[in-house]
Amino acid sequence: MTRALVSLNAGSSSIKFGLYRLDDAGHPHHAAGGKIEGIGTAPHLAARADDGSLAIDRRWDDGAAMTHEDLLGELITWAQGHLGDNRIVGIGHRVVHGGADYASPVRIEDAVMDRLDALSELAPLHQPHNLAAIRAMTKLMPDVPQVACFDTAFHRGRADETTRFALPRAFHDRGLVRYGFHGLSYAFIARELARTAPELVAGRVVVGHLGNGASLCAMRGGKSVDTTMGFTALDGLVMGTRCGTLDAGLVLHLIMHEGMSAEAVETLLYQQSGLLGVSGLSSDMRALHASDGEAARQAVTLFVARAAREIAALCTSMGGIDALVFTAGIGENDSLIRSLICERLGFLGLTLDPAANAANARTISAGDSRIAIMVVPTDEERMIALDTVACLGL
Ligand code: ADP
């Protein structure tokens, strides 16, 4: 193996990354993965090699002024050392919004960046940071091709009734539609199911990506048929700091009668709502479990109730359900949330195996459950690597 790839998933204060060696057939083999956290305060770069050993653990306690570009420079210098003789031949990026233009990964060039910049207002929490990482890498490695891999792409091709808002047609025609997000995660899960449970992937599956951002995807035959996020990643479930589905009339009320500016409403709905807003305590589910306060309990119950309601609703898009799959931080680790959601869905034929659920086992349904219930860890960085290989023809 002489070639390597880097996958980047850049957010406002953290960057997740994966390094992959490519074999002659272009198949990516995981070489290391980790995170840069604390950007803007005290940056911390940590990665584990494929055998699980710590490959780097570096802190800059006085590094508040270090930019994404500075830190990506540190990452690439370390990565080149770690990869040894393997030359980096491609860089893949998670880009949240591909809009109406992009249904599959695309190689970055100036015209592409102009179009992606224009979509930033639709994903203000993510898109500007995704694009900043692309610009930084263009400076750091100008000769290495880069690819944008979109969270919206997996959801393309859905039926009209799952993408259309009940607005006058002209709005739909200019791209005001329900796009859906978390597509890299869903594409990875669909691939995993195809590999390990082909009988399920052929059926009707709801996947719950429950992390700081949270959404559901109804899949049939490994393809998205419906999803809870819409035009932006604000819609659908209760999230760490995002409100999820909201009466549009409430937004009008805040602006027209409570004097809030559009910018203040944006901050409220994206950054101050969800688990954080309801609990008044934290956006982190673990902190809410640890609290015995009433508001924290209400936040957890609201999260669970809305997730269960939307799972049941998605069954109507598939004519039933054969499997429920949990993934992402909460979905993979939080047995209490899984059990509370499944309890509410018992009427559909879901029964958990409590011991398997407590152990975060891959199959957590009881033997007599009519519906399979599974925990499948997601790996968006690997999906980015696979998309990048395909896009660049490596
Ligand atoms: P992001 O959307 O930022 O990638 P994650 O998928 O990491 O988010 O999910 C973050 C959420 O997952 C937090 O609410 C956190 O409490 C929860 N979480 C992460 N790890 C665990 C764990 N081991 N047990 C319970 N919850 C966890």
Side-chain angles (χ1 to χ4, degrees), residues 227 313 334:
T227 188
D334 195 327

Side-chain angles (χ1 to χ4, degrees), residues 302-380:
L302 183 59
F303 179 92
V304 165
R306 289 270 296 275
R309 183 180 195 268
E310 293 300 320
I311 291 167
L314 285 180
C315 295
T316 65
S317 302
M318 301 185 294
I321 178 170
D322 300 307
L324 173 62
V325 177
F326 289 98
T327 194
I330 297 170
E332 292 168 26
N333 299 295
D334 195 327
S335 56
L336 176 59
I337 292 293
R338 290 194 303 257
S339 73
L340 292 171
I341 291 174
C342 290
E343 217 169 85
R344 284 176 183 258
L345 295 170
F347 70 95
L348 284 175
L350 284 89
T351 314
L352 270 184
D353 174 336
N357 184 42
N360 298 328
R362 191 169 177 95
T363 298
I364 58 173
S365 38
D368 61 353
S369 181
R370 275 203 293 117
I371 315 297
I373 315 172
M374 300 176 73
V375 176
V376 180
T378 194
D379 190 344
E380 289 158 299

Side-chain angles (χ1 to χ4, degrees), residues 16 211-213 283-286 328-330 333-334:
K16 291 184 193 164
N212 278 320
S283 62
D284 191 304
M285 192 59 94
R286 285 169 293 191
I330 297 170
N333 299 295
D334 195 327

